[in-house]
Amino acid sequence: MPDMISFIDLKAQRERLKDQIDAAVIKVLDEGRYILGPEVSELETRLAEFAGAGQALSCANGTDAILIPLMAWGIGPGDAVFVPAFTFASTAEVVVLAGASPVFVDIDPDTYNMCPESLAAAIASVTEAGELTPKAVIAVDLFGQPANYPALAPIAREAGLKLVSDCAQAYGSTLDGQASLAWADALTVSFYPAKPLGGYGDGGAVLCKDEVLYAAMKSVRVHGEGTARYEYARIGLNSRLDTIQAAILLAKLSVFGDEIQMRQRVADRYRAGFGNAVKVPHVISGAQSTWAQYTIEVERRDDFRAHLAEQGVPTAIYYPIPLHLHKPYASYPVAPGGLPVTEAAAHRVLSLPMHPDMSDADVDQVIAAVAGWEN
């Protein structure tokens, strides 16, 4: 049996950037400015520059990054926020934490991102029922590629809704050369270690173009602070990004553009090598994915996973149970007609090893294992 390759190899990246990261961390330790030190503001500037728009506000984690704009907008009890069910818990969790109601929307069968038609139907249904007030849409840029914002944004605008790009897995992705902030009111980022731009602990950020929103979010980030210390303008959070994490992320951001292309190289080789053995990812026209995950579809998933394991290829399933089928979320509304595409995909998707430091030998091992599958 071949040796098991790495699903995500953070150690290899660490070796490439070791000197740069070590120097950055030691600088923070020597200076002792651990909370909102200069590296934090520098990172925020660099994040906005890399995205090509807006201002960035760092925070403690990617979950808070989504919650902060909801709180800044005053979204709460009696409000509806439209979210996909095929995503990590944070997307819907923050809606409930804000006191509002998530409304689950179906996905596109090829990109796994929010389906515009299902969104429009969900908004119309909630509006007609009159029990909740539609306030916002959170579209997830799943597996590294942007959602169909040219289709989603007009639907949100027509209904008077705020639009959030949950870009936790896809910071650095573009659509027609632009970050999703070109269409969204806010773009949220996670720096969880396994993300394409990951730190060595939790961290997050939210980007926006509205100065008023930025000021409100900055207040929310630090206990709702007002214009003076120990003066509070609103209910807030304790959600500051550590200076050490900011220093690490600055080092990683310096090579992030190159790493996106390194991931693209792996994705291109996979697509060419797999043939018709599995359903390979479909990237929306005009998009650059960050390839947070390389997610395929296959029948007989359990058998396929066992086959790959025998060939030394690890796999992961994102996400085996859609959110609307979990007990804490089962009472919340879903789009008219239910979520059939979401529920079908959850039984067939499978993610393969993907990281910028994959060797040719590892890529070859994955290709041989997948191509050798007899469905």
Side-chain angles (χ1 to χ4, degrees):
M1 177 177 175
D3 291 337
M4 189 72 72
I5 65 175
S6 297
F7 187 78
I8 299 175
D9 191 349
L10 298 180
K11 290 183 179 179
Q13 184 197 52
R14 161 73 175 150
E15 287 302 311
R16 274 194 291 115
L17 301 176
K18 183 179 185 301
D19 292 345
Q20 190 175 350
I21 290 174
D22 287 355
V25 171
I26 290 172
K27 178 177 179 292
V28 175
L29 295 176
D30 286 343
E31 293 178 350
R33 300 171 68 179
Y34 305 123
I35 302 296
L36 296 181
E39 286 80 2
V40 174
S41 57
E42 182 183 352
L43 175 66
E44 291 171 342
T45 298
R46 294 276 305 280
L47 289 170
E49 289 174 350
F50 193 91
Q55 298 182 81
L57 183 77
S58 61
C59 59
N61 54 69
T63 303
D64 283 358
I66 317 171
L67 178 59
I68 286 171
L70 300 186
M71 293 178 67
W73 285 320
I75 291 174
D79 295 334
V81 179
F82 300 86
V83 302
F86 196 61
T87 181
F88 185 64
S90 293
T91 310
E93 182 179 48
V94 295
V95 178
V96 179
L97 290 174
S101 173
V103 178
F104 292 108
V105 176
D106 212 354
I107 57 171
D108 176 86
D110 293 320
T111 66
Y112 311 116
N113 284 328
M114 183 178 280
C115 171
E117 293 78 13
S118 181
L119 172 63
I123 293 171
S125 176
V126 169
T127 301
E128 182 179 354
E131 297 177 0
L132 297 169
T133 302
K135 284 294 183 70
V137 177
I138 304 176
V140 176
D141 302 335
L142 199 65
F143 301 142
Q145 73 157 311
N148 187 357
Y149 289 102
L152 295 171
I155 296 170
R157 300 290 174 244
E158 184 177 350
L161 309 184
K162 299 296 186 182
L163 177 59
V164 177
S165 165
D166 179 351
C167 204
Q169 299 181 1
Y171 175 76
S173 66
T174 56
L175 181 56
D176 297 330
Q178 300 181 91
S180 54
L181 191 59
W183 295 270
D185 296 289
L187 179 161
T188 69
V189 189
S190 170
F191 301 127
Y192 184 77
K195 296 294 191 291
L197 181 60
Y200 290 165
D202 279 316
V206 54
L207 282 70
C208 73
K209 295 175 291 187
D210 183 341
E211 293 284 352
V212 174
L213 174 60
Y214 180 84
M217 293 195 302
K218 190 173 183 180
S219 169
V220 170
R221 175 179 69 173
V222 185
H223 303 289
E225 65 183 3
T227 56
R229 187 169 176 80
Y230 303 127
E231 184 262 316
Y232 305 105
R234 54 180 53 80
I235 301 298
L237 305 170
N238 178 16
S239 190
R240 297 167 298 205
L241 179 70
D242 291 342
T243 306
I244 288 176
Q245 289 301 335
I248 292 166
L249 288 164
L250 279 167
K252 291 193 172 193
L253 186 58
S254 69
V255 300
F256 186 49
D258 292 336
E259 289 190 345
I260 292 174
Q261 294 308 311
M262 292 162 73
R263 289 172 176 270
Q264 184 65 54
R265 177 190 67 84
V266 176
D268 289 342
R269 288 205 58 207
Y270 277 170
R271 175 177 287 274
F274 289 165
N276 296 320
V278 296
K279 180 183 176 182
V280 297
H282 171 77
V283 177
I284 190 172
S285 177
Q288 170 64 64
S289 175
T290 62
W291 297 106
Q293 310 292 345
Y294 192 92
T295 301
I296 61 174
E297 273 193 44
V298 63
E299 301 291 341
R300 295 171 49 213
R301 185 172 63 188
D302 290 346
D303 292 340
F304 183 71
R305 293 190 79 190
H307 164 74
L308 292 190
E310 290 175 356
Q311 304 303 313
V313 176
T315 56
I317 299 174
Y318 306 97
Y319 297 92
I321 306 173
L323 290 184
H324 69 296
L325 299 181
H326 290 265
K327 184 177 179 181
Y329 299 103
S331 62
Y332 292 105
V334 300
L339 310 181
V341 180
T342 295
E343 292 175 16
H347 291 289
R348 296 198 296 261
V349 295
L350 183 75
S351 295
L352 300 173
M354 168 59 74
H355 59 87
D357 292 288
M358 284 193 73
S359 67
D360 287 340
D362 284 354
V363 175
D364 289 341
Q365 187 171 334
V366 176
I367 290 173
V370 172
W373 168 249
E374 295 182 4
N375 196 357

